Amino acid sequence: MSKFKFSVGPWNVHGGADGYGPATRQTICIEEKFKKFKEIGFDAIQFHDDEVVPNINELSVEEIKAEARKMKVLLDKYGLKAEFVAPRLWMDKRTIDGGFMSTSESDREFAMWRAYRSIDIARELGADLIVLWLAREGTLCAESKSPVWATKQLIDAINKMLEYDKTIRICIEPKPNEPIDRSICGTMGHVMAVASATIDPKRVGGNLESAHAILAGLDPAHEIGFAMAFDKLFTVHLNDQNGIKYDQDKSFGVENLRQAFNQVKVLLENGYGDNGEYVGLDVKAMRTTLDKDSYKHLENSLKIFKMLEEKAEKFDYAFRDKCIKERDFEGLEMYVLELLMKG
Ligand code: XLS
Ligand code: MG
């Protein structure tokens, strides 16, 4: 029985289309996903604003809130909570050059409008967390934006959100690349610096995605630990990645098993979840996956997480301390590998 609660976003079950080819699987409606997510063992749903209100740009504030209340009824029907809402600031024509850091003032205003609506939607869903994955926030042409100006734009946007709702929490999900060339806030270190510069730092934290840390050439467990050292790990997006290439959102632990083990171990050792935090997944099925297996990557990720949680619970801290005392890190490393490889 896991110590943790788990969350997932509807976009984790998708048709398989990528930048090079069309969908390979049928579209699945959100209610069917909720039913299956609950069966698999998820406790909460992560949302983008336009997953709750698909035609959000065409509606008034009150109409948006009314649509969000309908989604809350659906969540209640399946015994699911809403973990967070993320403004999707990368699909609209008004976010071509980013949102908060767009060179267009009207686009920046549009991004703030969507950020405020995400807060409204979160409140109707009973959530107090906003995730900002800063997709296009950066530059494609280095000289198009000053990194000083752009960074201050991000802090200003977060301050406006903190003022709009006096208790909402804002969580940046750092990523060093894709779809942007030069990210302004690419690692958990950047997130901690930005959080400290806001008007209410305790309400600003980070969401560590395993693949994003790997894409930055960093260790996911250390990025997690860094945020936890500041009490600012508000959620995680666990997945995996085969080296520094396109963002693969692979099933958790399938490429880097020891790295995955240490992500579970650092969460377990430091009381993650004690304040209601969820273990979130952000994983996508391979394009080759058949319709009948549309959820297998989620089932696999949860199973791997729980198997590694059992391994972490068995970890022999006395043996570790002995190895440290004798400076026998070779012996400690072999112990860990045997722990992972033995049944
Ligand atoms: C993309 C991001 C995205 C966010 C949610 O790389 O991981 O899935 O987590 O908007
Ligand atoms: Mg993510």
Side-chain angles (χ1 to χ4, degrees), residues 11 46 84 131 133 173 207-209 212 236-237 239 247 249 281-284:
W11 72 89
Q46 310 160 21
F84 67 69
V131 162
W133 168 52
E173 179 182 334
N207 170 17
L208 188 278
E209 176 155 329
H212 297 179
V236 291
H237 265 176
N239 54 20
D247 187 358
D249 290 338
L281 296 184
D282 191 0
V283 292
K284 294 187 177 62

Side-chain angles (χ1 to χ4, degrees), residues 157-170:
I158 293 172
N159 284 342
K160 285 175 180 163
M161 296 169 78
L162 294 170
E163 285 166 340
Y164 179 78
D165 182 309
K166 301 302 183 191
T167 59
I168 202 76
R169 296 181 300 137
I170 310 295

Side-chain angles (χ1 to χ4, degrees), residues 78-145:
Y78 292 97
L80 293 164
K81 298 290 184 192
E83 182 193 9
F84 67 69
V85 176
R88 199 194 304 262
L89 298 178
W90 53 90
M91 302 286 268
D92 194 281
K93 63 180 184 304
R94 288 159 288 187
T95 57
I96 289 173
D97 187 26
F100 308 130
M101 306 175 194
S102 172
T103 49
S104 152
E105 185 176 359
S106 61
D107 287 0
R108 295 198 296 272
E109 287 165 3
F110 170 74
M112 284 314 306
W113 185 85
R114 285 287 289 262
Y116 296 142
R117 299 300 72 79
S118 291
I119 294 172
D120 295 337
I121 292 168
R123 288 306 186 191
E124 296 299 337
L125 296 178
D128 75 340
L129 184 61
I130 299 297
V131 162
L132 301 178
W133 168 52
L134 301 172
R136 302 189 190 282
E137 305 293 4
T139 65
L140 293 176
C141 167
E143 295 76 9
S144 67
K145 298 176 196 175

Side-chain angles (χ1 to χ4, degrees), residues 4 92 178 180 219 255 278 314 316:
F4 298 101
D92 194 281
E178 197 184 70
I180 204 67
D219 180 283
E255 289 292 344
Y278 290 95
K314 285 180 191 167
D316 185 343

